[in-house]
Amino acid sequence: MPFAKTGAALAAALLFSAAAHAADQPKFTEITIAGAPERPADPLAAGRLASADTATLLEDQPGISLYTGGGVSSLPAIHGLGDDRVNLLVNGMRITSACANHMNPALSYVTPMNVSNEDVIAGLAPVSMGGDSIAGTIAVSSPVPEFATPGKTRSSGSASAYFRSVNSGSTLAAQAALASDGLSLGYTGSEDRASSYKDGHGNLVRDTLY
């Protein structure tokens, strides 16, 4: 009996302590924080303004070298292996170089302004990216369409231009988009021109008419 009384007293003390502890707990007010995530810095932004050649966006990638064949048609190589040894994907589609001398490589069909992401895989690549390429795989993709919140519209645009005095070369590029919550319209275009120039002896070096 003494043990039962002691147990009952201990249980009562614990219940009282728990009730007192619960009464002392502060009441918190629910706080809702709303905001938009910051966009990460675009690593390709500077490259888009430097040249109309999309392949130059890959210059900082390890093992990449470029063989220039015109104003907008560099041929990328991975560890010295280029041309058909490199698997080139544009928006997931494998594209081969055109013309007999491959003066129009795959990356000449997409402008720097229209590149949002680039992946370089040396050697073996996943089957989903083609798989069998001796040198490696280069994949570039365009920005995905952006939509507005319901009941609103969204617009964006950008433009770039540069000029080279050595051959009177000029490049103009523009991008614009207009979207609702269910429809997105976009335009991307660029123009690149150059003329002949003179060497150090004053002899005319004719342009490639690219």
Side-chain angles (χ1 to χ4, degrees):
M1 292 298 294
F3 177 78
K5 292 182 178 179
T6 304
L10 180 60
L14 290 176
L15 290 175
F16 177 78
S17 176
H21 180 71
D24 294 338
Q25 289 294 324
K27 295 182 179 179
F28 294 97
T29 303
E30 182 178 352
I31 299 175
T32 303
I33 301 176
E38 294 184 0
R39 290 187 176 183
D42 186 358
L44 303 178
R48 294 192 189 100
L49 300 177
S51 173
D53 186 353
T54 304
T56 58
L57 298 175
L58 305 169
E59 286 182 321
D60 295 334
Q61 296 286 348
I64 291 289
S65 58
L66 304 177
Y67 298 93
T68 58
V72 291
S73 55
S74 293
L75 286 164
I78 302 177
H79 297 305
L81 299 175
D83 208 353
D84 289 338
R85 300 174 183 86
V86 179
N87 181 29
L88 287 169
L89 301 175
V90 178
N91 289 331
M93 178 175 290
R94 184 170 185 173
I95 301 178
T96 57
S97 301
C99 97
N101 295 323
H102 288 192
M103 295 293 290
N104 296 312
L107 295 181
S108 66
Y109 298 110
V110 56
T111 65
M113 290 286 291
N114 204 32
V115 174
S116 64
N117 186 57
E118 59 181 15
D119 292 315
V120 177
I121 302 176
L124 298 177
V127 176
S128 60
M129 300 180 69
D132 53 348
S133 52
I134 298 175
T137 298
I138 296 175
V140 298
S141 57
S142 303
V144 297
E146 295 183 356
F147 296 90
T149 56
K152 296 184 179 180
T153 58
R154 175 190 179 95
S155 62
S156 62
S158 61
S160 66
Y162 71 87
F163 176 79
R164 291 174 177 170
S165 60
V166 64
N167 61 351
S168 298
S170 62
T171 296
L172 299 174
Q175 182 177 0
L178 178 64
S180 65
D181 58 343
L183 178 65
S184 179
L185 301 175
Y187 168 81
T188 302
S190 66
E191 181 181 3
D192 193 74
R193 295 189 177 199
S195 302
S196 304
Y197 66 94
K198 294 182 178 180
D199 61 15
H201 300 286
N203 299 318
L204 184 66
V205 179
R206 297 192 178 278
D207 59 275
T208 61
L209 299 179
Y210 71 83

